[in-house]
Amino acid sequence: MENDDAEMLGSDSNEAGLELDDMKKRLKEMEDEASALREMQAKVEKEMGSVQAPATAASSQNNKEEVDSRSVFVGNVDYSCTPEEVQQHFQSCGTVNRVTIRTDKFGQPKGYAYVEFLEVQAVQEALSLNESELHGRQLKVTAKRTNIPGMKQYRPRRPNPYQGFRGRAPYAPPFAYAPFGYGKVPRFRMGMRYSPYY
């Protein structure tokens, strides 16, 4: 009996040793794969130039401004409109390079688009299509403005005449004691005598 137990323990330790060696081999293979992937990633980043120098960032900003000078904003676009239909509508102005219809996170159109032309002169002709109709809706066409990152315009809240003045109330310390009881308000009676001045 004791010899059988010893043999079983020996076979268990051999199996555990084999599994451990197998796991070490797999771990080594995974580490090699990870290092190969890191090398490939570094190579691709180097080719693409994803690490931008300040001069490169400035040139990309200039490139954006140049593209925006050839683009128009189109508002009140019908939700069922396709980019091809918008391109067809603006084809008379000049060669359309790209049409972008903005969508929300669910893929539904937001109701406006950007049209980029190949020529700067086409923008002036596109502005003449302001208030033209597409799918029964009047389009609003304006020149596209360049978005400068980090420069959000500060717009103070305009007062609403229907809400009254909603300024901040000055701090008033709470009463040390309530002379009329908690939550009670003194009642003032009108004078009994008639006075024409009140």
Side-chain angles (χ1 to χ4, degrees), residues 57-133:
S59 68
S60 70
Q61 180 67 22
N62 291 339
N63 188 26
K64 275 185 186 176
E65 289 176 7
E66 193 267 326
V67 168
D68 289 347
S69 69
R70 295 184 283 120
S71 304
V72 291
F73 167 83
V74 185
N76 200 22
V77 177
D78 189 36
Y79 296 115
S80 63
C81 253
T82 62
E84 290 80 20
E85 291 170 333
V86 176
Q87 180 178 354
Q88 196 72 35
H89 188 75
F90 285 94
Q91 201 69 44
S92 62
C93 303
T95 311
V96 176
N97 187 30
R98 178 180 13 184
V99 175
T100 309
I101 296 180
R102 297 300 307 218
T103 57
D104 61 8
K105 62 182 178 179
F106 303 111
Q108 301 298 320
K110 288 187 172 182
Y112 63 92
Y114 294 104
V115 180
E116 180 189 329
F117 295 99
L118 287 177
E119 310 91 21
V120 179
Q121 296 83 12
V123 172
Q124 294 304 318
E125 294 178 33
L127 292 177
S128 67
L129 287 178
N130 189 23
E131 297 181 358
S132 62
E133 280 200 11

Side-chain angles (χ1 to χ4, degrees), residues 139-187:
L139 297 180
K140 180 184 177 192
V141 183
T142 58
K144 186 176 185 232
R145 61 179 177 81
T146 304
N147 189 23
I148 301 170
M151 294 295 290
K152 185 176 179 184
Q153 283 185 334
Y154 173 71
R155 288 186 285 182
R157 288 181 104 178
R158 294 197 321 243
N160 189 340
Y162 301 106
Q163 288 183 344
F165 179 71
R166 302 182 112 209
R168 192 174 191 147
Y171 174 73
F175 290 112
Y177 65 95
F180 301 101
Y182 182 75
K184 303 256 171 115
V185 179
R187 291 171 63 191

Side-chain angles (χ1 to χ4, degrees), residues 187-198:
R187 291 171 63 191
F188 296 103
R189 294 189 176 193
M190 294 292 291
M192 297 298 285
R193 295 174 75 186
Y194 170 74
S195 175
Y197 304 107
Y198 291 105

